[in-house]
Amino acid sequence: HKPHPFLPFAELPNTISTIRQCVSGHQLWSAVMMMIYTASRPGEVRHAEWSEVDLESATWTIPAAKMKMRREHVVPLPDQVVDILQRMLPLTGGFRYVFINRSDPTRPIGTNYANSAMDICGLTGRQSPHGFRHLFSTEMNGRGYNSDWVERQLAHADSSFIRDVYNHAMYLDRRREMMQCWANLVSTKNNGA
């Protein structure tokens, strides 16, 4: 298994700055930032639907059928993502998907939107879209956050089959605090990215 490339956390300001400078379009920038802020898979963000988003409770509930592990996944949304979604609402709120395809608004944004952004920015081979999930896990585990919270945020199955079958805890309040911390770190290091 070849790991997805990712730059160290210290390089995050430069990485975000590079993406900001070369990614054109509010929608593409917003999709990439939502992916980073929530530590979600690119495909999860690509297929995000307005019906799954509750801005009042700041949660995004992804149905089990869309998830790799076939388990419903509730994503606590940090303030930065709520802001992104509020800005997208007037643009795509009348459509099914949060991020729509340019040529057909009934379809989601293109399959390779995140890889294209990394490629356009010259980050291919150094920072992958999926690599932001590695960066999140490394940084938040390093900061002492409970590994169960980190793994649940990443929608990973527990390595213990028995524990995975029986542990259905979502740790939503704790993950909400953790994700706000992560988003603040990303934003602080990037002057409000």
Side-chain angles (χ1 to χ4, degrees):
H1 175 72
K2 184 178 179 183
H4 299 277
F6 67 99
L7 294 163
F9 186 72
E11 291 294 317
L12 191 57
N14 292 334
T15 304
I16 299 295
S17 178
T18 298
I19 296 169
R20 179 187 292 280
Q21 290 171 18
C22 66
V23 167
S24 62
H26 176 71
Q27 177 174 253
L28 181 55
W29 168 254
S30 297
V32 170
M33 290 311 298
M34 181 169 166
M35 178 190 74
I36 295 169
Y37 282 136
T38 61
S40 295
R41 294 176 180 94
E44 293 163 0
V45 171
R46 176 179 182 253
H47 289 104
E49 298 181 33
W50 284 113
S51 63
E52 301 164 355
V53 174
D54 183 340
L55 291 174
E56 276 190 44
S57 67
T59 54
W60 168 28
T61 305
I62 307 172
K66 287 185 172 183
M67 294 301 299
K68 183 178 179 180
M69 300 310 297
R70 300 293 180 228
R71 179 185 305 166
E72 180 180 86
H73 183 47
V74 180
V75 181
L77 301 174
D79 295 341
Q80 292 87 338
V81 175
V82 171
D83 183 57
I84 285 170
L85 293 170
Q86 286 173 335
R87 291 174 189 222
M88 287 302 301
L89 194 57
L91 304 173
T92 64
F95 297 102
R96 176 180 176 184
Y97 296 103
V98 174
F99 304 107
I100 59 172
N101 190 289
R102 285 185 295 167
S103 59
D104 181 358
T106 64
R107 293 181 15 228
I109 194 171
T111 304
N112 292 318
Y113 78 93
N115 284 327
S116 295
M118 297 305 110
D119 193 41
I120 291 166
C121 298
L123 294 169
T124 302
R126 296 185 307 131
Q127 178 68 54
S128 68
H130 201 84
F132 286 108
R133 289 167 54 84
H134 292 266
L135 182 59
F136 162 77
S137 178
T138 301
E139 186 63 23
M140 299 321 271
N141 275 298
R143 288 177 177 268
Y145 281 92
N146 185 307
S147 61
D148 286 341
W149 308 346
V150 172
E151 293 303 303
R152 187 63 72 186
Q153 182 65 31
L154 294 170
H156 286 164
D158 197 296
S159 58
S160 164
F161 174 77
I162 299 297
R163 188 166 186 263
D164 188 55
V165 168
Y166 287 101
N167 183 10
H168 295 280
M170 288 195 298
Y171 313 108
L172 192 58
D173 289 338
R174 297 298 186 189
R175 284 193 298 126
R176 186 175 302 284
E177 293 170 19
M178 177 180 70
M179 294 315 293
Q180 190 60 60
C181 175
W182 167 249
N184 290 347
L185 288 167
V186 172
S187 293
T188 300
K189 293 183 81 66
N190 297 291
N191 301 320

